[in-house]
Amino acid sequence: MSMNTQGRPTGTGTSGSTAASGSALIPDEPLLFEIGDTEHSGVDLPEVTIDDSFLGGFERKTKLDLAGLTEPEAMRHYVRLSRMNHSIDSGMYPLGSCTMKHNPRLNEKMARLPGFSDIHPLQPVSTVQGALELMNQLSHWLLTLTNTAAVALSPKAGAHGELLGMMAIKAAQDAAGQAHRTVVLVPESAHGTNPATAAFLGYTVKPVPAKADGTVDVEAVKAALSPEVAAIMLTNPNTCGLFEPQVIEIAQAVHDAGAFFYCDGANFNAIMGVVRPGDLGIDAMHINLHKTFSTPHGGGGPGAGPVVLSQALAPFAPVPFVRKGEKGLELVEHVEEHALCRVTAFHGQMGMYVRALTYMLSHGGDGLAQAAQDAVLNANYIKARLQHIFSVPFPNYPTMHEALFDDSFLKDTGVTTLDFAKAMIDEGFHPMTMYFPLVVHGAMLVEPTESESKQTLDRFCDVMAELATDAKAGNAARFTAAPVKAPRRRLDETRAARQPVLKWEKPADLPQAAE
Amino acid sequence: MRYLPHSASERAEMLGVIGAADVDALFSAVPKSALKSFDLGLPAHQPEFLVETHMRALAAKNHAAGDGPFFVGAGAYRHHVPATVDHLIQRSEWLTAYTPYQPEISQGTLQMLFEFQTQVAKITGMDVANASLYDGSTGTAEAVLMAKRLTKKNKIVLSGGLHPHYRDVVKAYLKDDPDLVCLSPSPEGQGDILSQIDGNTAAIVVQTPDFYGHLRDLKAAADAAHAHGALLIVVITEVVSLGLLEAPGALGADIVVCEGQSIGNALNFGGPYLGLMATRKEFIRQMPGRLCGETVDADGNRGFVLTLSTREQHIRREKATSNICTNSGLCALAFSIHMSLLGEAGFTRLARLNHHNAVKLARMLGTVPGVELLNKSFFNEMTIRLPVPAAPVVEMLAQAGVLAGVPVSRLEPYNPNVENLIVLAATELTTHADIEMLAECLHAAIEEDAQ
Amino acid sequence: MTTKFTPDHEYIRVEGSTGIVGITPYAQEQLGDIVFVELPAVGKALKKGEEAAVVESVKAASEIYAPVTGTIVEVNGMLTNEPGLVNTDPENAGWMFKIEIADTSEIDTLLDADGYAELTL
């Protein structure tokens, strides 16, 4: 039995003492349940006796078996765990379609002002006028940057905003006697959330093929449109990193057919302050505050996905929203006989609103446009430096904020896209997005964002070029074995899925393993 | 601009490598009519200290919970968060990491999620928990959809004790569904749901402590649901209650959804919060959201990965269990750190302290003439009836610096039966002086209103 | 006993009026490690081309379609605990379901072994 640093036995499956695992500064760390126990606690609370309980006989009679840690133990546990993570603060994170930009710490400081963090969503609105003003200011920035008529702030994330936007389209069409529109057009290159959202609302998804140059053909859209089509869901700039050159014509055709144009705003970072989606004819678009406006990704959320709406959809915005009243700002939380009530409890991701507005004020209108242009400049720079070594599937247009390569340069090398990505880890880089978009074989989507310096971009390109050269030179072993310098080597995902172990069990609780 | 690393000469040099005359050339695919064809009219970039001044001025216009006596609950609770929690979640490696899609360099986040799932499973008494959802309200809607998939039946019954916002979110998700039954608000804790269950029922949704603070009999609900082949979905908006109350899993719950904000997360005016979801082992494949699982790496060392991801949108696309993409990772981290600091001993003591203070609050409210306490049972929250409409009284108290709870009419504006009701919560932060001041002000306000 | 194939890389081994359906060795290799198989309910009536089952690898989920119209009469319960049988022995232990064939003439429209082999060249 292996022992952890606390001298307690570790759980089954641990072999933390092997030579390959852990290193001097990044040690392996046992599970908290293997460190603590039910008597340890890192919180001092007075012990009270309740002489007359009002628990109605529902008191817990069993033990939870919930391990605790004292404060120094907890500090060490979570600091040690953290060191096994890559992060944007410690290195480039060129994940296409994810916009991993710098997260300014002023945002964090402002979000923690008690006037924002220590206010309750249901305390009287007269006591939260500053919060409502902040929501108004954020709305103003979003509406100005997109040139749209209304914004619903409350969605909790991009996919949630997308759901809300499509709900608004459905509500508008139901109200107009157009409930027979049951088809949603989705280009093949779309994010997985688009068809998932459409299907969720009961729509039939009809794919629209892309042209050979990676953009959507207005003629293909026209051919797919019919009186049954409710909307098109189009990402622009698209997931291949290209601006749709016929987007205005597409919007026109969609509107002529009585349908709406939902724009997936995941890639807004490429055009903020430079192009206003409202000028392109969109009817609804979600904006990922955690991508474009720098609220931290936090290891997978929380996000925030406000949705801007055109004049036609504005009446179908959900509650709550802020409006000016006689005694200051009012929060409208109910509208009688409203088509679309609410998509979340309370008022959405206030903590994210504070961070996003702080970011906007820091940049100003000029800085946001500069950031978008730098993001595009950086992606084109990577493309220019690597296009002679890597293969570019859609060379006709300049790329926007992300550079797309395919895996044809790896043909006959015995190295897969995945292997290549894992080798990047050994060179200190987080891999790019792989195998997305699906329309490109072995896609590698690189999004540097505006936050990377030229020096970092050059180093990234040097490493990529060296890896590609090595792969072509037949050194496949370096790639298939990678990573070897990370806290873990490649993990057995088949085992994880075939015999799911989704929580820790006390070793004694485990059934006898069949040998 | 302090966040943008390029100098003008570097930009020029890069354009040279690209072979573009200027940056506009990179936007050549944009229709001319749409490219920089406007003046935004937004303010220019500002130094950090000026942005800070602006934001502080906005914050100063709000009355923070810590500024005076505070009894607001109704689905979001003010608890003390240890300093360690906020320090740790601001570490770069937690704050600025992405979703752990590359497990070799994301073991910190993944192990934390595995620990989090274990903690949630333990406190709910369920077999498995996911890596979190957006919040309790959307989690409830997801649970309802999950129950429909599992049972292949359609009828859903929402208890009258369910948080009105949660009910409204379920209604939005199930728009126009004739099989959705929403029972009328039950401020007196009326048992209303069991008679509604029939053979077409997919699930009943019961909140405990309910919106009005009453503790609900989950065992009876589970037995009644199971007798008809329906599932019991339990909703808990005050997760601290699980420190003292029987785990829903032990009482027959099939899906448990909690708002986890109370542990580790600030009020934040309503978000970001943290949806917890736990269920039975056999239902995993219909559970939405990310799951982290244990495995081994190529050297045989224990490690963790996101698993069973074929349920999710990026693979199943239109056949996914949900369109959810993100979870609430950083809030889950805060929850997990706070929960590990508490441990069983601390969690139980915290819950006891909450109930202790709520009992004191209930007793004091009982001494205010004209105030009627509606609860026979409660954990840390309760409903009172005033002889006058509640909203103006709450507003009057707010002007006096006392945030006295939530007038039910704010959430149920079209229901005259609840016009005089206030829902109030006490937590470990509630002091005796706070309670005394509330009672005094409430007494004065009712008298003034009566005159 | 004849074995026929679909362009979607399924085989159907016909025994009398019953067909045993699974995926081809080529298909399992393309999918990689199978981690889960969702099987149809016994008694379910399916038209040719309708979704009958789902096989999942770590990163992908693929629908298995009914190669002919008919009714599901048996499913391979072993796959619930051992989905890897689809990888190790797709044509025997890794079979998925048995279907009572409504119209045996439909069999003739499927590919024979040579026709299928051409597809996977």
Side-chain angles (χ1 to χ4, degrees):
Chain A
M1 177 177 287
S2 59
M3 305 291 275
N4 61 33
T5 48
Q6 276 69 29
R8 299 197 184 101
T10 60
T12 318
T14 308
S15 53
S17 53
T18 61
S21 163
S23 68
L25 285 175
I26 307 181
D28 271 345
E29 179 65 6
L31 289 164
L32 80 89
F33 312 101
E34 295 160 348
I35 306 170
D37 61 33
T38 56
E39 287 164 24
H40 279 71
S41 179
V43 178
D44 290 323
L45 290 165
E47 187 67 75
V48 290
T49 47
I50 301 168
D51 44 14
D52 188 7
S53 135
F54 285 80
L55 296 176
F58 298 116
E59 295 91 334
R60 183 156 48 76
K61 292 162 192 80
T62 50
K63 293 279 180 205
L64 293 173
D65 188 28
L66 190 65
L69 305 173
T70 58
E71 186 171 309
E73 289 174 305
M75 187 63 81
R76 194 158 291 167
H77 179 63
Y78 290 101
V79 168
R80 284 182 183 221
L81 282 184
S82 78
R83 299 179 74 153
M84 293 194 259
N85 278 354
H86 185 83
S87 68
I88 186 66
D89 283 353
S90 59
M92 186 174 168
Y93 230 126
L95 272 174
S97 135
C98 299
T99 314
M100 292 298 287
K101 62 168 70 178
H102 172 62
N103 300 149
R105 287 315 193 278
L106 178 64
N107 302 358
E108 296 303 312
K109 186 177 176 188
M110 294 301 98
R112 283 168 173 78
L113 294 174
F116 296 134
S117 65
D118 195 24
I119 52 174
H120 191 287
L122 295 178
Q123 68 187 63
V125 290
S126 61
T127 65
V128 289
Q129 287 291 303
L132 302 190
E133 205 174 321
L134 183 139
M135 288 165 77
N136 250 0
Q137 290 181 6
L138 178 67
S139 299
H140 174 72
W141 280 78
L142 293 173
L143 293 174
T144 305
L145 290 168
T146 55
N147 191 26
T148 47
V151 59
L153 292 179
S154 65
K156 295 273 179 181
H160 199 220
E162 198 178 299
L163 180 63
L164 167 70
M166 290 304 290
M167 281 174 161
I169 287 172
K170 198 169 203 275
Q173 287 180 336
D174 287 357
Q178 297 282 303
H180 59 276
R181 293 182 178 267
T182 55
V183 174
V184 169
L185 306 182
V186 181
E188 285 167 345
S189 63
H191 291 114
T193 52
N194 295 169
T197 301
F200 186 89
L201 291 172
Y203 287 114
T204 307
V205 175
K206 187 169 170 184
V208 180
K211 282 195 290 188
D213 68 4
T215 65
V216 175
D217 185 353
V218 66
E219 295 308 322
V221 172
K222 281 182 183 164
L225 283 166
S226 72
E228 278 72 52
V229 172
I232 188 169
M233 297 181 84
L234 191 68
T235 308
N236 190 36
N238 71 23
T239 58
C240 302
L242 306 176
F243 192 93
E244 292 288 351
Q246 292 182 301
V247 62
I248 292 178
E249 290 87 342
I250 292 170
Q252 190 61 49
V254 167
H255 290 154
D256 287 349
F260 286 102
F261 178 3
Y262 186 89
C263 183
D264 182 325
N267 295 337
F268 189 50
N269 199 51
I271 57 170
M272 61 175 175
V274 182
V275 179
R276 298 183 303 187
D279 297 340
L280 307 174
I282 66 134
D283 291 294
M285 181 178 95
H286 69 264
I287 297 170
N288 304 80
L289 297 185
H290 50 286
K291 293 181 182 176
T292 314
F293 297 108
S294 82
T295 73
H297 280 73
V307 181
V308 292
L309 300 168
S310 63
Q311 202 64 256
L313 291 180
F316 301 94
V319 292
F321 50 86
V322 179
R323 74 172 173 213
K324 289 200 171 69
E326 284 170 19
K327 289 184 282 182
L329 294 171
E330 293 174 351
L331 190 64
V332 179
E333 294 175 284
H334 299 271
V335 178
E336 217 165 349
E337 296 303 313
H338 197 289
L340 226 181
C341 48
R342 62 165 59 241
V343 292
T344 174
F346 312 126
H347 328 309
Q349 309 286 64
M350 177 66 171
M352 303 298 137
Y353 306 160
V354 180
R355 291 170 174 89
L357 183 64
T358 303
Y359 177 85
M360 289 167 171
L361 291 169
S362 294
H363 276 81
D366 56 333
L368 291 178
Q370 185 66 58
Q373 293 174 77
D374 280 359
V376 171
L377 179 70
N378 286 358
N380 279 287
Y381 182 70
I382 288 176
K383 182 181 156 199
R385 279 213 46 194
L386 294 180
Q387 63 190 353
H388 311 296
I389 308 163
F390 287 74
S391 24
V392 177
F394 306 122
N396 290 15
Y397 297 101
T399 194
M400 296 301 284
H401 61 301
E402 50 197 3
L404 177 63
F405 304 103
D406 65 30
D407 67 352
S408 51
F409 75 101
L410 290 173
K411 195 167 186 295
D412 301 326
T413 59
V415 176
T416 65
T417 306
L418 183 73
D419 296 333
F420 189 87
K422 297 297 185 191
M424 288 171 68
I425 293 176
D426 281 336
E427 303 307 315
F429 285 99
H430 191 283
M432 70 294 265
T433 292
M434 290 168 285
Y435 302 109
F436 181 85
L438 306 176
V439 291
V440 172
H441 192 271
M444 300 182 179
L445 191 61
V446 180
E447 182 179 3
T449 82
E450 70 277 15
S451 304
E452 300 303 334
S453 67
K454 179 172 176 296
Q455 199 173 23
T456 305
L457 296 176
D458 280 332
R459 210 174 77 71
F460 175 77
C461 291
D462 292 345
V463 165
M464 291 284 279
E466 190 271 324
L467 284 171
T469 307
D470 205 32
K472 287 179 188 172
N475 192 3
R478 172 184 179 185
F479 296 86
T480 52
V484 295
K485 296 179 190 165
R488 282 291 178 276
R489 307 253 336 260
R490 280 195 221 183
L491 290 129
D492 187 346
E493 301 196 38
T494 300
R495 171 175 159 148
R498 277 188 183 162
Q499 299 127 20
V501 178
L502 305 176
K503 66 172 181 181
W504 177 80
E505 307 265 10
K506 246 189 200 162
D509 298 346
L510 286 173
Q512 287 283 314
E515 291 298 327
Chain B
M1 211 286 128
R2 61 187 176 274
Y3 302 141
L4 301 175
H6 299 328
S7 65
S9 58
E10 281 169 333
R11 287 190 181 106
E13 193 186 334
M14 290 167 74
L15 282 169
V17 171
I18 295 164
D22 55 25
V23 77
D24 283 357
L26 304 177
F27 288 84
S28 60
V30 177
K32 287 274 174 296
S33 64
L35 183 66
K36 296 183 182 170
S37 57
F38 45 81
D39 174 15
L40 286 172
L42 293 168
H45 65 278
Q46 293 185 54
E48 192 168 312
F49 64 88
L50 287 181
V51 177
E52 196 166 329
T53 305
H54 180 99
M55 298 305 283
R56 280 187 188 281
L58 288 176
K61 292 182 187 174
N62 299 324
H63 177 113
D67 292 347
F70 182 85
F71 300 90
V72 191
Y77 301 90
R78 181 167 187 260
H79 292 285
H80 182 256
V81 178
T84 305
V85 175
D86 202 44
H87 168 79
L88 282 169
I89 70 168
Q90 287 192 75
R91 267 187 76 92
S92 294
E93 301 90 333
W94 294 119
L95 187 76
T96 75
Y98 190 69
T99 305
Y101 286 137
Q102 297 295 328
E104 299 88 349
I105 45 173
S106 310
Q107 283 299 303
T109 295
L110 287 161
Q111 181 169 333
M112 179 280 288
L113 289 175
F114 186 78
E115 294 175 352
F116 168 82
Q117 289 173 184
T118 305
Q119 289 172 322
V120 175
K122 280 181 183 293
I123 62 170
T124 55
M126 303 301 288
D127 298 331
V128 285
N130 71 13
S132 81
L133 299 169
Y134 303 144
D135 72 347
S137 67
T138 53
T140 301
E142 292 284 353
V144 162
L145 296 168
M146 176 178 160
K148 291 176 75 152
R149 289 193 298 269
L150 282 167
T151 60
K152 300 194 166 64
K153 297 197 276 188
N154 283 324
K155 183 173 164 184
I156 298 288
V157 190
L158 307 183
S159 152
L162 181 65
H163 193 296
H165 280 180
Y166 286 41
R167 175 199 62 205
D168 292 347
V169 173
V170 173
K171 277 166 88 169
Y173 272 61
L174 297 189
K175 190 167 152 38
D176 297 331
D177 189 335
D179 289 322
L180 174 65
V181 179
C182 303
L183 300 174
S184 345
S186 51
E188 318 261 359
Q190 300 93 318
D192 50 4
I193 204 163
L194 305 190
S195 62
Q196 297 284 336
I197 308 169
D198 60 26
N200 182 37
T201 305
I204 57 172
V205 181
V206 177
Q207 179 179 330
T208 190
D210 75 8
F211 177 71
Y212 302 95
H214 309 283
L215 304 187
R216 295 293 190 151
D217 188 346
L218 297 181
K219 181 78 171 55
D223 290 347
H226 295 162
H228 287 87
L231 303 182
L232 171 63
I233 298 172
V234 173
V235 174
I236 296 169
T237 59
E238 173 50 295
V239 73
V240 172
S241 65
L242 291 174
L244 213 46
L245 299 176
E246 190 61 82
L251 300 168
D254 298 290
I255 306 172
V256 180
V257 175
C258 307
E259 173 50 68
Q261 170 268 329
S262 283
I263 300 292
N265 288 277
L267 286 170
N268 283 325
F269 199 51
Y273 284 177
L274 170 68
L276 315 182
M277 182 184 267
T279 190
R280 296 176 186 277
K281 212 180 203 164
E282 58 267 33
F283 298 161
I284 301 174
R285 289 196 160 267
Q286 290 300 337
M287 178 156 62
R290 292 181 185 139
L291 281 167
C292 172
E294 183 184 320
T295 187
V296 293
D297 77 353
D299 291 335
N301 291 304
R302 178 169 70 182
F304 303 90
V305 292
L306 292 181
T307 191
L308 303 182
S309 54
T310 41
R311 302 161 301 121
E312 295 183 70
Q313 49 76 26
H314 63 277
I315 291 173
R316 290 316 294 275
R317 297 173 78 85
E318 68 266 28
K319 290 189 171 160
T321 52
S322 158
N323 81 335
I324 291 178
C325 201
T326 30
N327 57 350
S328 207
L330 203 66
C331 302
L333 173 67
F335 176 100
S336 196
I337 298 172
H338 191 184
M339 194 57 96
S340 58
L341 282 168
L342 287 166
E344 179 146 3
F347 190 44
T348 309
R349 268 204 297 275
L350 176 65
R352 205 188 294 279
L353 198 51
N354 271 259
H355 188 56
H356 179 73
N357 286 348
V359 171
K360 285 205 278 190
L361 173 63
R363 295 208 187 293
M364 186 67 90
L365 288 170
T367 67
V368 180
V371 170
E372 180 197 353
L373 177 70
L374 300 190
N375 298 64
K376 291 189 181 63
S377 67
F378 58 81
F379 169 65
N380 69 352
E381 189 157 28
M382 63 206 71
T383 301
I384 56 172
R385 181 181 284 130
L386 306 185
V388 294
V393 171
V394 169
E395 183 61 41
M396 218 182 294
L397 265 67
Q399 298 309 320
V402 178
L403 297 183
V406 180
V408 178
S409 59
R410 176 154 177 192
L411 295 104
E412 302 279 10
Y414 312 119
N415 185 337
N417 298 333
V418 300
E419 205 185 353
N420 293 7
L421 306 182
I422 306 179
V423 172
L424 305 93
T427 70
E428 74 281 5
L429 294 172
T430 309
T431 66
H432 188 72
D434 292 342
I435 295 174
E436 278 187 328
M437 188 161 170
L438 170 73
E440 263 171 46
C441 291
L442 201 52
H443 187 184
I446 292 170
E447 286 205 330
E448 191 177 318
D449 203 276
Q451 279 164 11
Chain C
M1 192 183 85
T2 52
T3 302
K4 294 278 196 164
F5 301 87
T6 73
D8 299 318
H9 309 288
E10 295 164 29
Y11 66 80
I12 175 165
R13 195 158 62 238
V14 183
E15 293 173 355
S17 62
T18 308
I20 301 176
V21 180
I23 63 171
T24 65
Y26 174 83
Q28 71 79 18
E29 201 181 314
Q30 291 295 308
L31 285 167
D33 290 348
I34 304 295
V35 298
F36 183 71
V37 183
E38 189 181 313
L39 295 165
V42 171
K44 188 171 184 179
L46 290 165
K47 286 202 179 65
K48 177 176 174 169
E50 282 184 339
E51 183 181 318
V54 180
V55 287
E56 295 183 6
S57 62
V58 171
K59 301 282 184 198
S62 310
E63 285 80 26
I64 304 298
Y65 305 104
V68 293
T69 300
T71 306
I72 304 294
V73 290
E74 193 182 337
V75 297
N76 185 359
M78 292 285 286
L79 299 183
T80 310
N81 290 323
E82 280 186 79
L85 289 173
V86 176
N87 294 117
T88 53
D89 192 8
E91 294 177 301
N92 296 298
W95 66 278
M96 291 178 189
F97 56 86
K98 291 184 186 172
I99 187 165
E100 181 70 28
I101 303 166
D103 175 5
T104 46
S105 69
E106 261 184 10
I107 297 295
D108 302 332
T109 65
L110 300 174
L111 298 166
D112 59 17
D114 289 346
Y116 178 69
E118 268 176 46
L119 268 187
T120 54
L121 280 181

